[in-house]
Amino acid sequence: MVSIEPIELNGHMFTAVTVRLPKTTLLTVSNENGYIMCGALDVGLLNSKLADRKIIAGRAVGVKTIDELLRAPLESVTYEAEKLGIVKGTIGEDALMMMI
């Protein structure tokens, strides 16, 4: 099952996507500038092979819901996210606010 819903954070709109797969769930919250995602995100790949795309993203591990993703500290972030001040340990919702 795939669920897509708009969510408002501090007056700004984002898109939350939940994809339920066998034995795992993929979670993302995004806007037009970047996104945070569950542990399935390969930050290393984004920083190396896809570096030319300048993707702003962060990864949180051990989360099972969108609410948990928003409250979790990011385990890793892309180089482009770091340029915005988003670093390892930044809370998901705070990282999204920095992507506005």
Side-chain angles (χ1 to χ4, degrees), residues 33-75:
N33 297 320
Y35 58 92
I36 59 173
M37 189 172 171
C38 65
L41 179 65
D42 187 344
V43 171
L45 174 75
L46 299 180
N47 281 337
S48 61
K49 298 190 186 261
L50 302 179
D52 61 317
R53 297 184 189 185
K54 299 185 180 196
I55 296 170
I56 299 168
R59 172 184 182 213
V61 295
V63 296
K64 296 179 180 165
T65 66
I66 293 294
D67 286 336
E68 289 179 3
L69 178 59
L70 292 172
R71 293 190 314 264
L74 298 178
E75 177 269 340

Side-chain angles (χ1 to χ4, degrees), residues 36 58-60 67-75 77 85-99:
I36 59 173
R59 172 184 182 213
D67 286 336
E68 289 179 3
L69 178 59
L70 292 172
R71 293 190 314 264
L74 298 178
E75 177 269 340
V77 300
I86 303 166
V87 296
K88 180 179 175 178
T90 301
I91 300 302
E93 185 173 346
D94 295 339
L96 291 169
M97 291 297 105
M98 298 168 96
M99 293 178 193

